[in-house]
Amino acid sequence: MTQATNLSLLVLFVAFFVVYFSDLIGVIGSTAIMAAVVFVLVSFITGYFLGGPSRPIRRVLALGTAQRNLSAALAIATLNFTDPDVMVMILVVALAGLILLMFIGGEMGKKAKMPGGEIREQENLSSAPGK
C-alpha cells in the first residue's frame, strides 16, 4: 500500500511541475524562496527545542516538524483555492524543505553517537566483493 501511495504522490508531484512550470520559473528572484527557507528553518528549530530532553528524539522531532505533510497541503489547496500561486508556493516549500532537510539530516547523521557513547564513523560501502 505504501508503494502505491508513494508512486501516486510522485506522479502528482511531477504533474504539478509540468502544469505549473512557468509559474515556478516566475518564483525565481522573488521572496517566495526566502520565505520557504525561513519557514522550514523556523519549523526545524521549533521542533528541536520542543523535543524534550533526549537529543535523538529532539533531532527526529525537528526533522519531522520541518518536513510538512505535502499530501495534506495539496489536498486542502486543491479543494479550497483556485489561485495557482497557492500550489506554486506549496511546491516551493516542498522543494526547499527537501533540499535543506536532506543536508541537515546528513550532517546530523554524521555526528550521531552510538548507544555506547562513541561517535559513529561513516563507512564507505563498496559493491565490490571483499571490501
Side-chain angles (χ1 to χ4, degrees):
M1 183 68 174
T2 52
Q3 289 179 346
T5 304
N6 290 339
L7 181 62
S8 64
L9 183 60
L10 178 66
V11 168
L12 181 66
F13 201 66
V14 170
F16 278 130
F17 270 107
V18 170
V19 171
Y20 295 113
F21 183 74
S22 61
D23 293 326
L24 282 170
I25 295 300
V27 168
I28 297 173
S30 72
T31 57
I33 296 173
M34 183 57 76
V37 168
V38 169
F39 176 73
V40 170
L41 290 176
V42 167
S43 297
F44 180 86
I45 292 167
T46 301
Y48 187 82
F49 285 117
L50 295 177
S54 173
R55 188 177 190 133
I57 292 176
R58 280 197 315 250
R59 289 178 174 183
V60 170
L61 188 60
L63 289 171
T65 304
Q67 181 57 47
R68 310 308 302 164
N69 191 342
L70 179 62
S71 301
L74 289 173
I76 292 169
T78 302
L79 294 174
N80 295 311
F81 299 101
T82 57
D83 186 8
D85 291 341
V86 175
M87 293 292 193
V88 170
M89 196 60 201
I90 290 172
L91 293 175
V92 169
V93 171
L95 284 175
L98 178 69
I99 293 167
L100 283 172
L101 295 177
M102 286 183 76
F103 175 74
I104 292 170
E107 290 300 313
M108 286 172 35
K110 289 179 186 176
K111 298 175 183 176
K113 291 187 178 182
M114 298 297 281
E118 65 272 2
I119 294 178
R120 179 180 62 132
E121 294 187 21
Q122 295 287 8
E123 297 177 8
N124 290 330
L125 299 176
S126 174
S127 60
K131 288 190 176 185

